[in-house]
Amino acid sequence: MPINFTVVPVEDAVAGSNNAAAAVSLDKIFQEEDTDDNLQGDDNQRESSPFISSDTDGETYYDGKNMALFEEEMDSNPMVSSLLSKLAIYTNLTQGVREHEEAENEDGVRRVTVVVPQMGTFIGVYLPCMQNILGVILFLRLTWIVGTAGILGSFAIVSMCCICTLLTAISMSAIATNGVVPAGGSYYMISRSLGPEFGGAVGLCFYLGTTFAGSMYILGTIEILLTYIIPTATVFKEGEDAAMLNNMRVYGTGCLVLMALVVFVGVKYVNKLALVFLACVILSIMATYAGVIKTLIEPPEFSVCLLGNRSLKNQKFETCAKTELVKNQTVTTDLWPLFCDSEYPNATCDEYFMLNNLTEIQAIPGLLSGVIKDNLWGNYGPAEELIEKKTQPSVPALEISNDISKPYLFNDISTYFTLLVGIYFPSVTGIMAGSNRSGDLRDAQRSIPIGTIMAILTTSFIYISCVVLFGACIEGVVLRDKFGYSVKKNPVIGILAWPSPWVIVIGSFFSCCGAGLQSLTGAPRLLQAIARDGIIPFLQVFGHGKANGEPTWALLLTVGICEIGILIASLDAVAPILSMFFLMCYLFVNLACAVQTLLRTPNWRPRFKFYHWTLSFLGMILCLSLMFISSWYYALVAIVIAGCIYKYIEYRGAVKEWGDGIRGLSLNAARYALIRLEEVPLHTKNWRPQLLVLCKLNSDMAVKHPRLLSFTTQLKAGKGLTIVCSVLEGTYMTQGNQAKLGEQNLKAAMAAERTKGFSHVVVSSNLRDGFSLLIQSAGLGGMKHNAVLMAWPVGWKQARDSSARRNFIETVRETTAAHQALLVAKNIDHFPSNQERLKQGTIDVWWIVHDGGLLMLLPFLLSQHKVWRKSKMRIFTVAQMDDNSIQMKKDLQMFVYHLRLDAVVEVVEMHESDISAFTYEKTLVMEQRSQMLKQMQLSRTEREREIQSITDVSRGSIKRKTSSTVGAPPLNTVCIPEDEAQLIHDRNTASHSAMTEKAVGATPDRVHMTWTKDKLVNERNRQRESMAVKDLFNMKPEWEHLNQSNVRRMHTAVKLNEAVVKKSQNSQLVLLNMPGPPKNMKGDENYMEFLEVLMEGLDRVLLVRGGGSEVITIYS
């Protein structure tokens, strides 16, 4: 019970109240609410919390002097006394074998009464494991396995299976003692150690194995009933083999329905009978050992009749002879008509019958008879092969007769070593019985290892001793007689037992009944535990049941699956099926222990110390080997089923985080891979764009350009590294919640666009620092980005300040300095979505300068995606006057051929031409805007007035320029829209001031920008007069003062844009070399203008700037 502490509340000094000290019980302060474990599965909060109980505490109150330093943290960090109280009152309900007993009080309210279980190692673990391990195979098939495989072969089979379960038990003990194992047993251990995907897959396999085990036990029950107890109670009489199978199906279905009703009505009755069933098993085994000892004194009186060396069924005759003397007359026996056409001595008989004599030998010669030598080696054979005693002499018949109709013993199935492994393995399953009862144990961490391992050692001794004793006591032809037809239709182990075969018959019958009921009890609860975890959505309905928690729907499904096994109607065919599922479960138990041990996770601290990862690894290999030894096709089917469940949970299941070992394994593998990647520099052949995507979030923290993520998906196709980032202005203390919201929205947008990668939102004092931080530090080790993808800053002209322009240019400079490629997408919202399919069109590459070959690689990567798959690739390059364009085209075609790219090559000739008036005009406008941005600091109202004035002037100038260049080829001209115009000063004012300063040498006056209505009208009139003068002199006086470098750059942009628009205006995507910003930062304000002119008139443009390294090669 929790300890009560008394806390004296602090008196209110201000109010001066004299409240009496109130005693507050800490176990009441931190009292947890009661919840029904049957209605709620183990969630993440429960398993990640230090508290064993996952209930959420109510609002707590603390008022004291001693712990005032921690009083503000009491809600999230309770006191140690509270933690210990919860540990003390913790009780764990099992999902397996205990029914909730209900009672209704006077008000009609249903209550659940739970008695805290206190079972020790012997009752709680050892006996349940013994009961589950010993069963139908021991009584019905072990003698046949010994006779068929021989003592040595059977010893190998038993040893392999027992070693497998022993190694699995060691691994299971380590996992079970590494903390408390709540309801769920093996499923809980595997799922919490290997994750929900493996846990769900293996949990369902374990469920299917348990269900088919129920089928096997029911078939064993019916086989005992119809073969040994009531042989006459058959429904079908025709064809012996077919009739037996149909009788098994009819009686098996009836038995299944009856057992299901018992389980539905009350599991408590099954549990009360469990000890009775176990007593039957122990009594039968003791009777067997007693019979072996009795053979030393007096062998049993059972005998076998042989015709030649062939064993006969002795159901229809009593005397093992052809004739007998009755009243001094020789008469034929009951055996004679079975081989002859009449009962008279002169009848026509089977040739083999006439040539060979009948011999009667002891069925159980005894331990000292030396029969062990004959039974050392195996006697495998095909189906319908006669069972013969090899050492017995016989005369073969010359004519082949229809031996099937004769009372000979035959092999009912083909026998071989691997088949016997699959049939025998279910006899060693059941080692999980102790861990499934972990909540019922007084000290589970001590009882589970000791009880389970002792049970395995005990049963292993029983099985191995039985193999040796059966081979040393029983005749070989009797051992190979599966159903005991040669010994008056008694079970072979029954004729060995003392005092009567009925001890084995009755004991095995009740043992199979009990095991079947246990399977039908445990399997639905296992399915219910899986369903309540919520990892497989379509199983949710099976998590519900009766009001007391009984899994009604799960029981119905279990009965349906169990019926499939019963319709197979053969114990030998069902046994390998459940062997696969159990072996897969044991394989993953060993894997879980090995992974946890190798990872050395801090939480891996099992109480059981006698384990090692090599033992777990050996057990895992042995399980896998036994799967394929037993039946390779069943093994493949089981693996495919588990794989399908795994992938289903991975893609469609609920997201669960249980701190599993696979996640730790992934972390270790990732760390190892990152270290290896950093050791060796990346080769050109392995280069692919590892993208850092710079996204912009709007005021609602939503992605402003989702098509940027679509383009990322199309470019990456899920391969390589993708980091999607954004920057918020401010401090993390104030913007932390917004950053988390933005990151969630980024993840949601990435999921919607199927972009596989990582997302991150950083908070910085300004955007420039945030972008710089991301470019420098995003990624880890060898997994760092080598390319930056961003959208073109469309609104840089409308911005109130120059921050957008400066941020973009600095980003270009930093990516260049970091040797990273840069991809800038213009009109990103016009790019195709992932759902679109471009039926035709081209991807045009304008290869102006070589900066690593990224321009060539990007179209190829895009064409791998279904959106761009039908788009053709065209490569354009520019030839100057002194270039041989014909030879350039041939060389380029050869280069593209060696690159294994399918592309059309074209060389565009750009001849030297005079710089057009339009180029001068655009350069003039650009420079004057730049000057005024430096000289003026205007308010927003003054800027708008200035913009409106200059916009009108720009329109008139461009119209006159168009009319003055009639003979020139048409150029794309763009008027500055009113809403996009930047702050520019009057060009005439600037040029006039410059001329005046040069002529007179006077100091220029300060520019006054206090605008009035009259001044604005005068300014406009003066500009119109000045334009008339400039048009008259062809504007040459002002052009002479332009920066010639800017004029040349503008000329290049205009001419190149003209060529690109002419060739690629209708293409789906245009890729252009992105010129770098000027080294002199004074020219930054003009750089954006050059790029705007270069992309003018084009819809989808991707500016590409290489990282300085080769990314494509012609070599293999």
Side-chain angles (χ1 to χ4, degrees):
M1 293 298 292
I3 302 172
N4 292 335
F5 294 88
T6 302
V7 180
V8 180
V10 180
E11 296 181 356
D12 190 353
V14 177
S17 60
N18 297 320
N19 296 330
V24 182
S25 175
L26 284 183
D27 63 334
K28 294 182 180 180
I29 293 177
F30 300 104
Q31 183 180 11
E32 57 184 2
E33 300 175 357
D34 293 330
T35 57
D36 189 357
D37 285 347
N38 291 308
L39 299 179
Q40 297 293 334
D42 297 317
D43 56 4
N44 297 341
Q45 182 181 0
R46 171 173 180 162
E47 288 146 12
S48 61
S49 171
F51 298 95
I52 296 179
S53 175
S54 62
D55 303 330
T56 305
D57 290 337
E59 184 176 353
T60 59
Y61 170 77
Y62 177 80
D63 191 10
K65 296 179 180 178
N66 292 337
M67 298 296 171
L69 186 61
F70 301 95
E71 62 185 5
E72 294 183 358
E73 301 178 1
M74 284 296 175
D75 291 336
S76 58
N77 300 324
M79 291 181 63
V80 174
S81 58
S82 170
L83 173 63
L84 296 178
S85 298
K86 292 185 177 183
L87 290 173
I89 65 174
Y90 170 68
T91 59
N92 185 13
L93 302 179
T94 62
Q95 47 86 182
V97 296
R98 187 173 66 251
E99 180 188 45
H100 302 284
E101 302 200 14
E102 302 169 348
E104 292 190 2
N105 62 6
E106 298 176 355
D107 299 330
V109 179
R110 180 170 292 173
R111 292 181 178 178
V112 177
T113 303
V114 178
V115 180
V116 178
Q118 294 290 328
M119 288 195 292
T121 303
F122 185 77
I123 297 294
V125 180
Y126 182 77
L127 289 183
C129 286
M130 289 280 290
Q131 181 184 2
N132 280 267
I133 294 173
L134 299 173
V136 61
I137 300 297
L138 171 64
F139 299 118
L140 297 184
R141 291 294 181 269
L142 187 58
T143 54
W144 173 72
I145 291 173
V146 173
T148 305
I151 295 176
L152 297 180
S154 302
F155 185 82
I157 293 172
V158 173
S159 299
M160 281 194 304
C161 296
C162 291
I163 290 172
C164 175
T165 54
L166 180 62
L167 294 175
T168 304
I170 292 173
S171 300
M172 184 198 69
S173 299
I175 298 174
T177 58
N178 187 50
V180 178
V181 178
S186 57
Y187 160 70
Y188 184 93
M189 289 189 293
I190 296 172
S191 61
R192 270 55 176 182
S193 297
L194 294 180
E197 293 86 3
F198 279 110
V202 181
L204 278 185
C205 285
F206 191 53
Y207 162 74
L208 291 174
T210 307
T211 304
F212 277 104
S215 300
M216 185 186 72
Y217 291 129
I218 292 174
L219 289 175
T221 302
I222 302 305
E223 183 178 309
I224 295 170
L225 179 70
L226 296 182
T227 306
Y228 306 120
I229 300 178
I230 316 176
T232 57
T234 54
V235 179
F236 300 92
K237 303 292 184 183
E238 76 281 355
E240 191 170 338
D241 293 337
M244 185 64 179
L245 294 178
N246 290 329
N247 288 324
M248 295 280 285
R249 294 184 180 105
V250 172
Y251 279 95
T253 303
C255 183
L256 173 63
V257 172
L258 184 63
M259 288 185 176
L261 288 175
V262 172
V263 172
F264 179 78
V265 170
V267 184
K268 55 186 176 182
Y269 302 113
V270 178
N271 298 327
K272 290 176 181 178
L273 291 174
L275 288 178
V276 177
F277 297 143
L278 179 59
C280 292
V281 175
I282 295 175
L283 183 63
S284 300
I285 294 173
M286 293 176 63
T288 304
Y289 282 112
V292 171
I293 296 173
K294 184 177 180 295
T295 60
L296 295 173
I297 306 170
E298 180 185 358
E301 296 179 355
F302 289 94
S303 60
V304 181
C305 188
L306 301 179
L307 177 61
N309 61 356
R310 299 178 182 178
S311 182
L312 299 178
K313 300 178 183 178
N314 62 358
Q315 303 162 268
K316 298 181 180 180
F317 61 90
E318 294 293 336
T319 304
C320 182
K322 297 178 182 179
T323 60
E324 60 182 344
L325 197 63
V326 178
K327 297 180 181 180
N328 294 325
Q329 292 184 0
T330 302
V331 296
T332 58
T333 62
D334 295 336
L335 187 61
W336 186 272
L338 299 177
F339 290 93
C340 303
D341 56 4
S342 70
E343 61 182 11
Y344 301 106
N346 59 352
T348 303
C349 298
D350 180 71
E351 182 183 5
Y352 188 85
F353 179 74
M354 298 303 296
L355 293 176
N356 291 275
N357 295 321
L358 289 166
T359 309
E360 192 170 21
I361 62 173
Q362 277 189 317
I364 302 178
L367 273 177
L368 303 179
S369 64
V371 73
I372 189 172
K373 297 178 183 178
D374 299 331
N375 294 332
L376 280 177
W377 309 104
N379 292 280
Y380 303 106
E384 298 183 356
E385 183 187 47
L386 290 166
I387 296 178
E388 300 175 339
K389 182 176 174 62
K390 302 298 183 182
T391 59
Q392 187 77 12
S394 68
V395 180
L398 298 177
E399 295 181 4
I400 300 175
S401 61
N402 186 15
D403 294 332
I404 298 179
S405 61
K406 305 296 187 294
Y408 294 124
L409 280 176
F410 297 91
N411 286 335
D412 60 333
I413 58 174
S414 298
T415 54
Y416 40 91
F417 181 80
T418 57
L419 172 72
L420 300 182
V421 174
I423 293 176
Y424 173 77
F425 188 81
S427 66
V428 296
T429 59
I431 62 173
M432 300 289 186
S435 63
N436 291 342
R437 298 166 178 257
S438 59
D440 299 332
L441 303 174
R442 186 181 302 112
D443 185 359
Q445 298 191 2
R446 178 179 177 274
S447 297
I448 289 176
I450 297 175
T452 305
I453 293 176
M454 289 302 297
I456 291 175
L457 293 177
T458 304
T459 52
S460 299
F461 171 77
I462 292 174
Y463 281 125
I464 292 175
S465 62
C466 284
V467 166
V468 176
L469 294 176
F470 290 164
C473 293
I474 306 175
E475 183 62 50
V477 290
V478 179
L479 287 173
R480 283 181 282 157
D481 183 5
K482 184 185 292 186
F483 302 106
Y485 290 134
S486 63
V487 286
K488 303 294 184 182
K489 218 171 184 179
N490 285 305
V492 176
I493 191 175
I495 62 173
L496 177 63
W498 180 84
S500 168
W502 283 100
V503 176
I504 298 296
V505 171
I506 301 300
S508 59
F509 178 80
F510 283 111
S511 171
C512 291
C513 287
L517 286 171
Q518 293 289 344
S519 297
L520 291 180
T521 302
R525 283 161 175 75
L526 178 59
L527 181 63
Q528 187 182 45
I530 299 172
R532 286 180 173 175
D533 265 343
I535 58 176
I536 305 177
F538 69 83
L539 291 181
Q540 293 287 344
V541 65
F542 299 108
H544 306 290
K546 293 194 296 185
N548 64 342
E550 287 299 309
T552 307
W553 294 107
L555 177 62
L556 292 177
L557 180 65
T558 302
V559 170
I561 298 175
C562 198
E563 177 65 18
I564 297 174
I566 289 175
L567 293 178
I568 297 175
S570 173
L571 189 149
D572 300 324
V574 173
I577 296 176
L578 64 100
S579 294
M580 293 304 110
F581 293 124
F582 278 119
L583 279 168
M584 182 164 288
C585 178
Y586 297 165
L587 183 150
F588 281 99
V589 169
N590 285 294
L591 175 63
C593 181
V595 167
Q596 297 278 27
T597 306
L598 289 174
L599 290 179
R600 299 178 181 177
T601 53
N603 192 53
W604 180 245
R605 304 184 300 273
R607 293 278 184 187
F608 181 75
K609 302 298 182 182
F610 303 100
Y611 69 94
H612 196 267
W613 68 269
T614 53
L615 296 178
S616 301
F617 193 71
L618 180 61
M620 186 174 63
I621 294 176
L622 192 54
C623 288
L624 188 62
S625 302
L626 286 174
M627 286 178 66
F628 283 93
I629 287 174
S630 302
S631 176
W632 63 268
Y633 46 89
Y634 279 158
L636 291 178
V637 170
I639 291 173
V640 168
I641 291 175
C644 292
I645 298 171
Y646 178 93
K647 298 305 291 184
Y648 177 82
I649 297 173
E650 185 179 20
Y651 287 110
R652 303 281 297 176
V655 177
K656 294 285 185 180
E657 176 52 52
W658 289 326
D660 52 88
I662 292 297
R663 184 173 179 83
L665 185 64
S666 301
L667 289 173
N668 275 272
R671 179 187 61 85
Y672 174 78
L674 288 173
I675 293 174
R676 287 295 303 274
L677 281 175
E678 208 169 21
E679 289 175 354
V680 181
L682 185 68
H683 194 274
T684 303
K685 290 186 290 186
N686 297 325
W687 195 96
R688 66 166 61 246
Q690 316 286 7
L691 291 181
L692 174 68
V693 184
L694 300 179
C695 276
K696 188 174 182 180
L697 302 177
N698 57 23
S699 58
D700 296 330
M701 293 296 111
V703 178
K704 189 173 184 180
H705 301 295
R707 290 292 173 87
L708 194 63
L709 300 178
S710 303
F711 183 69
T712 303
T713 303
Q714 297 158 19
L715 185 62
K716 300 285 292 179
K719 302 295 190 299
L721 175 69
T722 301
I723 306 175
V724 182
C725 296
S726 188
V727 179
L728 299 181
E729 283 190 291
T731 62
Y732 190 75
M733 297 301 294
T734 58
Q735 297 288 335
N737 293 332
Q738 290 293 91
K740 293 178 182 177
L741 176 62
E743 191 161 339
Q744 292 176 358
N745 293 339
L746 275 182
K747 290 180 180 178
M750 290 172 67
E753 301 296 338
R754 297 183 179 179
T755 305
K756 295 182 179 180
F758 309 97
S759 61
H760 191 46
V761 176
V762 299
V763 181
S764 179
S765 56
N766 56 72
L767 296 178
R768 174 68 254 126
D769 292 343
F771 289 140
S772 176
L773 178 66
L774 288 173
I775 291 172
Q776 294 177 61
S777 60
L780 179 64
M783 283 294 286
K784 290 184 69 70
H785 62 279
N786 54 25
V788 178
L789 173 63
M790 60 188 301
W792 174 258
V794 184
W796 70 275
K797 288 186 178 181
Q798 292 93 338
R800 300 181 183 178
D801 53 19
S802 59
S803 61
R805 170 177 57 82
R806 285 188 284 104
N807 288 343
F808 177 80
I809 296 174
E810 287 302 313
T811 301
V812 176
R813 282 200 174 98
E814 288 194 358
T815 54
T816 304
H819 301 290
Q820 296 173 4
L822 178 64
L823 311 178
V824 181
K826 178 193 175 186
N827 293 335
I828 186 63
D829 294 329
H830 296 175
F831 277 56
S833 66
N834 290 328
Q835 286 71 38
E836 295 182 40
R837 303 291 181 270
L838 301 179
K839 303 292 184 182
Q840 57 185 357
T842 60
I843 301 176
D844 290 354
V845 177
W846 283 82
W847 192 20
I848 311 301
V849 295
H850 179 68
D851 54 358
L854 185 58
L855 275 171
M856 304 288 193
L857 187 61
L858 291 178
F860 169 76
L861 295 176
L862 285 174
S863 65
Q864 304 302 303
H865 196 273
K866 50 192 174 183
V867 173
W868 302 90
R869 190 163 292 159
K870 294 185 178 180
S871 299
K872 306 298 181 182
M873 179 179 174
R874 296 193 300 178
I875 300 178
F876 296 91
T877 190
V878 177
Q880 302 296 324
M881 283 295 295
D882 53 351
D883 293 329
N884 186 344
S885 59
I886 298 176
Q887 187 61 38
M888 277 184 65
K889 184 172 183 179
K890 291 181 180 180
D891 294 341
L892 183 56
Q893 286 175 336
M894 182 59 66
F895 180 63
V896 171
Y897 174 77
H898 285 308
L899 290 176
R900 291 94 63 201
L901 297 175
D902 296 327
V904 178
V905 173
E906 188 172 342
V907 177
V908 178
E909 296 182 351
M910 289 186 63
H911 301 291
E912 294 290 341
S913 61
D914 294 334
I915 299 176
S916 64
F918 175 62
T919 301
Y920 279 110
E921 177 70 12
K922 291 191 75 69
T923 308
L924 184 63
V925 172
M926 178 187 69
E927 288 197 353
Q928 290 176 343
R929 177 189 289 116
S930 300
Q931 291 175 11
M932 296 313 299
L933 286 174
K934 294 178 181 178
Q935 294 175 6
M936 296 175 154
Q937 298 295 331
L938 299 177
S939 66
R940 182 179 182 184
T941 306
E942 293 170 337
R943 289 184 183 184
E944 291 175 352
R945 293 173 180 172
E946 183 81 352
I947 287 169
Q948 183 63 42
S949 171
I950 303 307
T951 299
D952 297 337
V953 177
S954 298
R955 286 176 175 171
S957 173
I958 293 174
K959 288 179 182 178
R960 282 187 287 276
K961 181 273 303 175
T962 304
S963 61
S964 64
T965 56
V966 177
L971 298 174
N972 290 315
T973 62
V974 179
C975 296
I976 302 175
E978 295 182 13
D979 58 342
E980 294 184 3
Q982 284 290 321
L983 175 62
I984 52 178
H985 191 262
D986 175 43
R987 296 170 297 176
N988 299 316
T989 304
S991 60
H992 178 73
S993 300
M995 294 295 293
T996 306
E997 289 173 8
K998 184 176 181 181
V1000 182
T1003 304
D1005 296 330
R1006 175 180 292 271
V1007 180
H1008 296 280
M1009 296 306 300
T1010 304
W1011 290 86
T1012 62
K1013 184 176 181 181
D1014 296 337
K1015 185 173 182 180
L1016 180 60
V1017 173
N1018 294 336
E1019 187 72 17
R1020 288 180 176 175
N1021 293 334
R1022 192 160 58 83
Q1023 287 191 21
R1024 294 192 184 98
E1025 294 172 1
S1026 299
M1027 282 304 303
V1029 175
K1030 279 188 279 187
D1031 288 344
L1032 181 64
F1033 292 101
N1034 201 21
M1035 296 187 292
K1036 286 187 177 179
E1038 287 188 354
W1039 294 351
E1040 294 175 356
H1041 298 282
L1042 292 176
N1043 186 327
Q1044 292 303 310
S1045 174
N1046 288 340
V1047 173
R1048 291 197 308 273
R1049 291 169 183 259
M1050 185 63 75
H1051 174 70
T1052 302
V1054 170
K1055 296 296 290 182
L1056 188 56
N1057 174 259
E1058 179 184 348
V1060 174
V1061 170
K1062 182 179 179 181
K1063 296 285 185 180
S1064 305
Q1065 189 170 18
N1066 296 323
S1067 65
Q1068 297 290 357
L1069 179 63
V1070 178
L1071 279 77
L1072 284 170
N1073 278 118
M1074 181 179 182
K1079 296 181 179 179
N1080 185 3
M1081 294 188 180
K1082 294 181 179 179
D1084 284 356
E1085 58 272 9
N1086 304 326
Y1087 176 65
M1088 301 289 283
E1089 289 283 356
F1090 295 142
L1091 296 182
E1092 286 279 13
V1093 172
L1094 184 62
M1095 297 184 293
E1096 200 169 349
L1098 299 173
D1099 185 19
R1100 298 174 185 155
V1101 182
L1102 186 66
L1103 293 177
V1104 180
R1105 184 165 176 78
S1109 59
E1110 292 292 331
V1111 302
I1112 194 169
T1113 177
I1114 63 175
Y1115 301 104
S1116 61

